[in-house]
Amino acid sequence: MVFSIFCRTFAGMNKKWDDIRVIAFDADDTLWDCQSWFDEVERKCCQLLSPWATAREVSEGLFSTERKNLPLTGYGTKAFTLSLIENAVRVSRQQLSGDIVMRLLELGQELLTFPTTPLPEVKETLEQLSQLRRYQLVVFTKGELLDQENKLQRSGLEQFFSHMETVSNKTEKEYRQLCENLGVAPEQTLMVGNSFRSDIAPALAVGAKAVHIPFHVVWELEKSEEYPHERLQKITHFGELLQIVG
């Protein structure tokens, strides 16, 4: 019953918002696929460590290590690589050879250059939105500054955005600061993203509007309970955004 009400609520919110001045887009797993590449590195790590532990043990240990390190290392590829190696040393009881450590390092470095091909309908939708000239299109993402800038450049989408902001985390504080930096009220801001925890909930909390586009894979630390909201719309295809603001 609760789920059916939840679905009807989202379905009934197919309306346009006319007071938006800024549309902020998350980057990873919203504009391009990212998590799948990390999952593949994790799978290869499990294979390398198979003499010492099962794949489940390696994955659970990696998640625990990432969560422990997060307050110090933050989000991003370099933080993930450090946790990858630390977990491997622990799982192997410090029996790793230099060759395996080097391979883990190489796997982490590969995540700095993977192709950030735009997801379906992303480029076409951004082209149409930019032609409207009604909105300022910006990228608002978390992680490492240089890595995120490089991914945007590799994607070929940089031309559509007038501003990019990379933060260490996305909380209400960062969303308020984004609006202040852009000179708009939260009510005039629309956040578009795949993570309910990072892209949707804090944006709604400060008074902004939000569009949730779930991705087929979700990092464990980004999983959270979803809920309906009068300033939230949920879509399944990126192009549906034009029905809301186009």
Side-chain angles (χ1 to χ4, degrees):
M1 175 63 74
V2 174
F3 179 75
S4 63
I5 294 175
F6 177 82
C7 292
R8 290 199 302 271
T9 301
F10 274 122
M13 295 177 68
N14 188 14
K15 59 184 179 182
K16 286 190 177 183
W17 287 314
D18 299 322
D19 56 345
I20 298 169
R21 289 179 53 195
V22 168
I23 305 179
F25 294 86
D26 174 52
D28 297 330
D29 300 321
T30 296
L31 300 179
W32 52 73
D33 179 4
C34 178
Q35 186 59 43
S36 296
W37 296 94
F38 279 75
D39 288 349
E40 178 62 14
V41 167
E42 182 177 331
R43 185 188 66 80
K44 291 179 179 178
C45 177
C46 291
Q47 291 178 337
L48 288 170
L49 298 179
S50 60
W52 297 282
T54 65
R56 179 175 180 178
E57 289 170 337
V58 174
S59 293
E60 289 179 348
L62 177 58
F63 175 65
S64 177
T65 303
E66 287 182 284
R67 185 167 52 186
K68 172 184 70 71
N69 290 341
L70 192 60
L72 291 176
T73 61
Y75 298 89
T77 299
K78 295 173 187 176
F80 172 78
T81 303
L82 286 174
S83 293
L84 196 73
I85 295 174
E86 178 184 339
N87 180 59
V89 171
R90 181 182 300 108
V91 166
S92 69
R93 295 176 290 280
Q94 302 183 20
Q95 296 176 15
L96 287 185
S97 66
D99 289 343
I100 294 181
V101 173
M102 181 58 68
R103 180 54 184 150
L104 292 173
L105 181 59
E106 290 172 349
L107 288 173
Q109 290 174 332
E110 289 173 6
L111 291 173
L112 295 172
T113 57
F114 67 79
T116 51
T117 305
L119 290 169
E121 303 181 6
V122 167
K123 184 176 182 180
E124 297 82 358
T125 302
L126 292 176
E127 283 179 337
Q128 293 189 52
L129 288 175
S130 63
Q131 290 171 3
L132 292 175
R133 300 186 183 280
R134 290 180 53 192
Y135 313 105
Q136 181 179 7
L137 306 183
V138 306
V139 175
F140 184 52
T141 186
K142 66 182 181 183
E144 301 160 356
L145 178 60
L146 182 59
D147 188 22
Q148 296 300 86
E149 288 178 341
N150 286 341
K151 281 190 279 190
L152 179 60
Q153 186 176 26
R154 295 200 305 274
S155 73
L157 301 175
E158 191 174 15
Q159 59 183 311
F160 301 118
F161 301 104
S162 61
H163 179 82
M164 179 179 186
E165 216 163 298
T166 303
V167 293
S168 59
N169 200 3
K170 283 181 176 177
T171 68
E172 295 177 32
K173 176 183 176 182
E174 283 76 22
Y175 277 92
R176 292 193 182 96
Q177 187 63 55
L178 174 68
C179 293
E180 183 177 332
N181 293 343
L182 297 175
V184 295
E187 295 77 14
Q188 299 171 308
T189 304
L190 171 64
M191 182 65 202
V192 180
N194 69 291
S195 170
F196 204 93
R197 177 185 296 275
S198 297
D199 302 322
I200 306 304
L204 294 174
V206 302
K209 300 173 179 65
V211 170
H212 186 207
I213 312 178
F215 195 56
H216 67 279
V217 290
V218 183
W219 184 34
E220 286 296 325
L221 286 174
E222 289 294 340
K223 292 181 178 179
S224 67
E225 183 179 355
E226 299 180 19
Y227 52 83
H229 194 283
E230 62 181 2
R231 283 183 276 105
L232 168 65
Q233 298 197 49
K234 185 175 184 178
I235 60 179
T236 57
H237 301 284
F238 201 92
E240 293 178 71
L241 186 60
L242 292 172
Q243 300 173 16
I244 300 173
V245 298

